[in-house]
Amino acid sequence: MKAIVQDRYGPPETLTLAEVPVPAPRPDEVLVRVEAAALNAYDWHVMRGDPRMARLALGPTRPRARIRGRDVAGRVEAVGADVRQLRPGDAVFADLGDANGAFAEYVCVPEALVAPRPANLTPQQAAALPLAGATALIGLRDAGRVEPGHRVLVNGASGGVGTLAVQLAKALGATVTAVCRTRNVDLVRSLGADHVVDYTRADFTRDPRRHDVVFDLVGNRTLTALRRALTPTGTLVLSGGGVYRGGSLVGPVWLIARGRLLAPLVRQRVVVLTTTPGRHHLDALRAHAEAGHLTPVVDRTYPLREAPEAIRYLEGEHARAKVVITV
């Protein structure tokens, strides 16, 4: 089969299209024939080994997972002996987690990480949902504890997570303020944002409006500034993916570390978001999608052979919403 592989850290040119063996599913796995795979900031972080501190977990000189990509949508081709809930032909979607492997014609996935995909979404839309959707869902519902009537601000509202977070916050009954650049104002309004702040013209941290939840997806503001946008008992949720700016030692880890240190010392809640792949998140996202609350926005699609160009587009801050590879 064809797959996008990587044997050293570096720019998109380190990704190559190669022939590799079709994997065989273990007893608890399904073999998925890939129809679409979505890109995330996670992918360029792994590709470049950036921030460099992350290489302690990813691998010292190259990623331990040779095939890139973690969000996938496709159809079950074969199942392992212990698989009970899925069968060949089922349309599914999944977040592969740190195992990666989505940028390929076939991938093996543990049954616990796979779910039937939303019936009303295309494969490209379904592939755009797992990691970004789970991040938005956990950030708002679980970490932010968003309730009807809450005021929620999403910093980075036009990105892959942000476009989903705006929709989910509205589905949870919140009044939503979306922060984005000028060219994306109409997009986030179309997704349901009640207020839009164009960050090239205004500083949301200086706005007199205060919010019950600030969901930061960018990591470009200080903790002091972000907390200034909160009510006295509001919640700051930190989950910055960012864009590539030439490499760094710690990247957004520094802001996140400071957030962890600050959390016990202030009245406002400061939550550093973590996500773990699992079917229960996918089931919740499918329910929102099929109820009409959630429609992933796909900015561009690329064929598998152009995956390096797709990542170059994503990491340079040109992309809005999701970028998807079709297989």
Side-chain angles (χ1 to χ4, degrees):
M1 71 171 185
K2 292 181 173 61
I4 297 295
V5 302
Q6 181 181 16
D7 293 312
R8 62 182 176 88
Y9 291 121
E13 290 77 17
T14 60
L15 304 180
T16 59
L17 183 66
E19 287 285 345
V20 300
V22 175
R26 295 174 180 174
D28 65 338
E29 292 181 337
V30 298
L31 176 67
V32 175
R33 176 168 52 83
V34 179
E35 295 177 287
L39 274 64
N40 298 282
Y42 169 91
D43 297 307
W44 70 255
H45 279 292
V46 174
M47 178 188 73
R48 291 188 178 270
D50 181 71
R52 289 187 294 279
M53 182 179 289
R55 298 184 187 188
L56 297 173
L58 299 173
T61 61
R62 63 182 181 181
R64 291 189 175 91
R66 190 174 182 231
I67 301 175
R68 295 277 60 75
R70 62 182 284 174
D71 277 357
V72 64
R75 289 191 179 272
V76 175
E77 187 79 6
V79 301
D82 296 338
V83 172
R84 295 291 179 264
Q85 299 184 52
L86 297 168
R87 63 186 63 185
D90 286 351
V92 296
F93 69 140
D95 174 359
L96 310 180
D98 293 339
N100 284 238
F103 299 168
E105 292 178 317
Y106 295 91
V107 64
C108 285
V109 193
E111 183 183 24
L113 302 183
V114 185
R117 73 182 184 225
N120 58 333
L121 298 187
T122 67
Q124 292 76 25
Q125 290 173 316
L129 198 50
L131 177 56
T135 302
L137 182 71
I138 297 168
L140 294 169
R141 184 195 64 186
D142 302 338
R145 303 173 186 172
V146 173
E147 298 178 356
H150 274 177
R151 299 182 299 278
V152 173
L153 181 140
V154 181
N155 184 28
S158 62
V161 178
T163 50
L164 298 171
V166 169
Q167 297 176 71
L168 283 171
K170 290 299 297 181
L172 293 170
T175 298
V176 180
T177 297
V179 181
C180 64
R181 64 169 56 187
T182 308
R183 73 184 181 103
N184 297 323
V185 167
D186 290 341
L187 169 64
V188 297
R189 279 189 178 140
S190 73
L191 298 175
D194 300 282
H195 311 285
V196 180
V197 177
D198 178 351
Y199 68 75
T200 68
R201 300 180 180 180
D203 182 354
F204 73 88
T205 70
R206 299 291 181 182
D207 192 303
R209 284 178 294 189
R210 295 292 178 263
H211 307 275
D212 299 292
V213 177
V214 170
F215 195 9
D216 179 45
L217 301 168
V218 185
N220 63 348
R221 302 282 183 168
T222 65
L223 289 174
T224 300
L226 291 169
R227 290 178 54 225
R228 195 163 53 232
L230 285 171
T231 63
T233 57
T235 299
L236 171 61
V237 181
L238 299 172
S239 180
V243 296
Y244 182 66
R245 301 190 187 281
S248 66
L249 176 63
V250 296
V253 173
W254 176 237
L255 179 67
I256 289 170
R258 291 182 64 193
R260 290 187 188 278
L261 291 172
L262 180 68
L265 305 176
V266 296
R267 186 180 176 193
Q268 294 162 323
R269 293 179 64 241
V270 179
V271 182
V272 176
L273 190 63
T274 59
T275 62
T276 302
R279 177 165 176 161
H280 54 296
H281 299 320
L282 299 176
D283 288 339
L285 293 169
R286 182 178 68 251
H288 277 294
E290 292 181 345
H293 301 155
L294 193 60
T295 303
V297 178
V298 177
D299 179 12
R300 290 189 182 184
T301 60
Y302 292 80
L304 180 63
R305 66 179 181 276
E306 295 180 12
E309 184 59 34
I311 290 188
R312 182 178 293 107
Y313 175 69
L314 176 69
E315 71 173 353
E317 203 173 10
H318 301 296
R320 59 180 183 174
K322 296 296 291 183
V323 176
V324 175
I325 290 170
T326 57
V327 181

